[in-house]
């Protein structure tokens, strides 16, 4: 399988925050971090503070062996290295308010458990092309929006607003409070994607490569839908499926106005 995996590049040294106090200072000063790599064997009050600040700032922590940290090729890391985010994460409510003020119909994309950065990059590219107002990701269980993801997206990840949240369940509630319906892609659903009214304010949930949409999240969505296929093949790649769905949204919203 090794030959089929995309080679991921080591982050550049100028994108790293090295050492425990440096990581704490970065979070306290408001610097946006993509991820913190914490040696799995380290403990103590400083480590506890790092964890608390990371939780407050929605920064994922990866517990890793010291060999992983040594692989960054830096000295004196003290069992803690953070990667500075290339994405400027934004507040969801601020984006919704701005869209409404502009007189636009909100369209969001929620990524639940998608870990392959190639898929994330391709999804972002389609999202930007088809007019998605923002991509919503959880702070845990999603692939890093790193340089490789940005490269795969052809730069779209730097152009489209991205919101990182600590609970997709609470986010669905927030969307509902703003009058935005939430539709989940689910291959066993009976409703077809073209049977939805996608001209109304909505968010589309796309599930992870292996397990799909988290079941409790699926249950609180307004509708579940599927993309019909002519064969009984397993399923579409998630990035391909997203492109098809977003084209249907554009077809319902934009094309009728041009007829």
């Amino acid at each position: 399988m090794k030959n089929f995996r995309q080679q991921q590049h080591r982050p550049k040294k100028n994108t790293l925050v090295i050492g425990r106090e440096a990581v704490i200072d970065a979070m306290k000063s408001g610097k946006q971090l993509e991820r913190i790599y914490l040696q799995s064997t380290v403990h103590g009050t400083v480590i506890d503070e790092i964890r608390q600040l990371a939780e407050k700032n929605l920064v994922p922590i990866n517990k890793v062996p010291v060999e992983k940290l040594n692989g960054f090729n830096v000295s004196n890391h003290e069992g803690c290295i953070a990667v500075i985010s290339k994405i400027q994460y934004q507040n969801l409510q601020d984006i919704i308010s701005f869209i409404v003020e502009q007189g636009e119909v909100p369209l969001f994309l929620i990524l639940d458990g998608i870990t392959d950065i190639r898929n994330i990059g391709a999804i972002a590219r389609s999202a930007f092309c088809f007019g998605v107002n923002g991509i919503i990701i959880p702070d845990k269980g999603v692939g890093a929006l790193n340089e490789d993801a940005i490269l795969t997206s052809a730069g779209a990840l730097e152009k489209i607003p991205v919101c990182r949240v600590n609970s997709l369940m609470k986010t669905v509630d927030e969307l509902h409070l703003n009058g935005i319906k939430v539709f989940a892609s689910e291959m066993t659903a009976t409703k077809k994607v073209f049977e939805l009214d996608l001209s109304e304010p909505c968010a589309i949930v796309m599930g992870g490569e292996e397990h799909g949409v988290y079941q409790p999240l699926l249950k609180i969505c307004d509708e579940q839908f599927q993309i019909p296929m002519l064969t009984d093949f397993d399923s579409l790649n998630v990035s391909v499926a997203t492109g098809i769905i977003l084209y249907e949204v554009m077809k319902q919203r934009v094309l009728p106005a041009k007829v």
Side-chain angles (χ1 to χ4, degrees):
M1 292 294 293
K2 185 175 181 181
N3 293 335
F4 295 95
R5 295 184 181 275
Q6 184 186 50
Q7 182 65 38
Q8 294 188 31
H9 304 292
R10 179 188 298 138
K12 297 177 181 178
K13 288 187 180 180
N14 62 2
T15 67
L16 301 178
V17 181
I18 304 161
R20 302 177 186 184
E21 292 297 335
V23 170
I24 288 173
D25 290 343
M27 286 190 283
K28 285 184 174 180
S29 68
K31 187 179 291 293
Q32 293 204 11
L33 303 179
E34 182 61 41
R35 199 167 295 263
I36 297 172
Y37 294 94
L38 202 59
Q39 187 175 327
S40 55
T41 56
V42 295
H43 303 283
T45 54
V46 175
I47 300 301
D48 291 339
E49 184 176 5
I50 290 172
R51 293 184 186 279
Q52 291 166 7
L53 286 169
E55 182 176 357
K56 178 182 177 182
N57 290 281
L58 305 180
V59 182
I61 291 181
N62 284 22
K63 294 171 66 176
V64 297
V66 68
E67 290 80 8
K68 170 72 174 180
L69 295 170
N70 292 340
F72 284 98
N73 235 5
V74 297
S75 58
N76 302 321
H77 55 67
E78 301 175 320
C80 182
I81 294 176
V83 180
I84 299 171
S85 177
K86 291 184 68 66
I87 305 296
Q88 293 301 303
Y89 296 106
Q90 300 187 36
N91 179 271
L92 176 58
Q93 186 59 59
D94 289 345
I95 297 174
I96 294 172
S97 298
F98 177 77
I99 295 165
V100 173
E101 287 171 6
Q102 296 298 306
E104 298 179 18
V105 181
L107 173 60
F108 288 95
L109 194 58
I110 301 174
L111 307 187
D112 175 29
I114 298 176
T115 56
D116 190 321
I117 60 173
R118 294 165 296 183
N119 282 333
I120 293 172
I123 286 170
R125 191 170 184 173
S126 293
F128 184 72
C129 290
F130 292 123
V132 170
N133 298 118
I135 295 174
I136 302 169
I137 63 170
D139 60 344
K140 297 180 178 65
V142 69
L145 303 191
N146 54 22
E147 291 184 27
D148 295 310
I150 292 171
L151 182 65
T152 307
S153 77
L157 275 171
E158 295 178 300
K159 298 177 181 179
I160 189 168
V162 179
C163 307
R164 186 163 64 183
V165 300
N166 64 3
S167 169
L168 292 181
M169 302 283 285
K170 292 179 181 177
T171 297
V172 170
D173 289 339
E174 184 175 356
L175 291 168
H176 282 157
L177 288 172
N178 282 276
I180 299 172
K181 288 190 174 180
V182 181
F183 303 134
S185 176
E186 167 55 51
M187 62 182 296
T188 62
T190 54
K191 180 165 282 191
K192 309 295 191 295
V193 61
F194 53 78
E195 295 174 333
L196 297 173
D197 181 2
L198 297 169
S199 63
E200 60 186 340
C202 63
I204 309 294
V205 185
M206 300 302 298
E209 295 88 351
E210 293 185 17
H211 304 294
V213 179
Y214 179 53
Q215 281 298 316
L217 179 63
L218 201 61
K219 290 179 180 178
I220 64 171
C221 291
D222 296 281
E223 297 268 12
Q224 298 176 28
F225 69 90
Q226 58 144 303
I227 299 172
M229 299 188 296
L230 292 178
T231 68
D232 59 356
F233 194 71
D234 183 25
S235 65
L236 293 166
N237 169 275
V238 65
S239 65
V240 173
T242 304
I244 293 171
I245 294 162
L246 293 180
Y247 178 78
E248 177 63 28
V249 179
M250 187 188 72
K251 188 173 74 171
Q252 291 190 24
R253 291 186 177 197
V254 178
L255 298 187
K258 293 186 177 181
V259 175

